[in-house]
């Protein structure tokens, strides 16, 4: 849900219509008091806030939002007829995420909204791949064997992540070449065997988790076969 606080009826109606027509849920308010009542019921994903408003101006609303722990990080884009650099700096210094001066194009506004929403997305929890004493953090490019860090080349790391992320799945050498080295790679399946051998050596006892499937390729497993 996107909230728009704008006292100009024509602008408010056009913005709300545009947002809804592009698949966004939106609600408009001509008065700050209406906005605050809606905020008490439902917190939006983003607020579009005009500066020049009756009852209280947009900067005061923005300051209140930033002081409240529940809305401190709520994305806010300021919409205003003021186009001077000074006013833009004031708005951004007060905690606005972006600033759009009137008149503005509707699709340009939609693009700015999507950009701010993307930046506001919470990062996904770090994914950790583990098998026995082998722990891999793809985000941090970290490999631990028995709690000790192991240094791998990029291809060795990508190969290990692919196998651990698909436990029990058998990958042929051609499949590994395609997924790790790319479809344009002009090499041979022996490249995979060499990398697997080096990878097993570096992983020590945990190298057993990379299993050979005779005549086919490789998979990750408990090393018991």
């Amino acid at each position: 849900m996107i909230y728009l606080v704008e006292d100009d009826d024509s602008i408010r109606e056009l913005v709300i219509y545009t947002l809804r027509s592009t698949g966004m849920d939106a609600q408009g308010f001509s008065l700050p008091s209406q906005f605050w009542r809606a905020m008490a019921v439902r917190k939006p994903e983003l607020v579009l806030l005009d500066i020049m408003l009756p009852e209280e101006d947009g900067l005061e609303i923005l300051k209140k939002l930033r002081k409240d722990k529940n809305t401190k990080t709520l994305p806010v884009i300021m919409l205003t007829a003021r186009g001077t650099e000074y006013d833009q700096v004031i708005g951004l210094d007060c905690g606005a995420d972006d600033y759009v001066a009137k008149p503005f194009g509707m699709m340009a506004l939609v693009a700015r909204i999507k950009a701010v929403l993307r930046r506001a997305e919470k990062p996904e929890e770090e994914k950790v791949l583990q098998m026995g004493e082998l722990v891999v953090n793809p985000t941090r490019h970290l490999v631990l064997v028995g709690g000790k860090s192991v240094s791998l080349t990029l291809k060795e790391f990508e190969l290990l992540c692919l196998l651990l992320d698909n436990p029990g799945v058998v990958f042929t050498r051609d499949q590994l070449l395609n997924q790790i080295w790319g479809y344009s790679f002009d090499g041979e399946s022996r490249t995979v065997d060499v990398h697997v051998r080096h990878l097993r050596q570096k992983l020590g006892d945990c190298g057993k988790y990379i299993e050979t499937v005779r005549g086919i390729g490789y998979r990750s497993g408990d090393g018991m076969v």
Side-chain angles (χ1 to χ4, degrees), residues 185-200:
F185 180 74
D186 185 17
E188 54 185 31
S189 61
R190 185 173 178 276
T191 299
V192 176
D193 297 332
V194 171
H195 277 75
V196 168
R197 183 171 71 249
H198 290 168
L199 183 55
R200 282 172 170 161

Side-chain angles (χ1 to χ4, degrees), residues 25 32 35 39 42 50 59 61-62 75 80 96 104 125 129 194 197 201 208 219:
D25 195 6
F35 165 73
M39 285 292 294
R42 179 181 181 182
D50 187 27
L59 292 177
I61 295 176
L62 177 60
T80 177
F104 47 80
E125 292 185 5
L129 306 173
V194 171
R197 183 171 71 249
Q201 291 173 350
K208 65 184 179 182
R219 69 183 175 196

Side-chain angles (χ1 to χ4, degrees), residues 5 34 43 46 50 54 56 85 107 127 132 134-135 137 157 159 164 170:
V5 189
Q34 297 171 341
K43 178 183 172 183
L46 180 144
D50 187 27
E56 61 180 327
E85 183 179 0
M107 299 317 296
K127 183 177 183 179
L134 175 60
V135 179
N137 186 316
F157 182 79
L159 178 60
L164 289 183
V170 180

Side-chain angles (χ1 to χ4, degrees), residues 100-220:
V100 180
K102 301 174 185 176
F104 47 80
M106 289 297 109
M107 299 317 296
L109 175 62
V110 170
R112 298 282 278 273
I113 290 172
K114 290 182 177 179
V116 171
L117 287 175
R118 282 196 300 270
R119 294 200 301 268
E121 287 180 352
K122 293 182 179 179
E124 295 183 1
E125 292 185 5
E126 292 185 349
K127 183 177 183 179
V128 176
L129 306 173
Q130 184 170 2
M131 189 166 287
E133 292 190 330
L134 175 60
V135 179
V136 179
N137 186 316
T139 303
R140 300 188 182 186
H141 202 92
L142 179 66
V143 178
L144 299 175
V145 173
K148 295 183 179 180
S149 179
V150 175
S151 178
L152 301 180
T153 66
L154 178 59
K155 294 304 180 187
E156 290 169 350
F157 182 79
E158 291 177 346
L159 178 60
L160 179 60
C161 286
L162 178 62
L163 293 174
L164 289 183
D165 200 27
N166 299 275
V169 177
V170 180
F171 289 91
T172 66
R173 290 171 176 79
D174 285 342
Q175 287 175 325
L176 292 173
L177 280 173
N178 287 334
Q179 294 198 45
I180 303 301
W181 281 265
Y183 288 96
S184 61
F185 180 74
D186 185 17
E188 54 185 31
S189 61
R190 185 173 178 276
T191 299
V192 176
D193 297 332
V194 171
H195 277 75
V196 168
R197 183 171 71 249
H198 290 168
L199 183 55
R200 282 172 170 161
Q201 291 173 350
K202 292 182 178 181
L203 295 179
D205 290 340
C206 288
K208 65 184 179 182
Y209 297 132
I210 302 177
E211 301 173 350
T212 300
V213 180
R214 293 186 180 279
I216 302 177
Y218 299 95
R219 69 183 175 196
S220 62

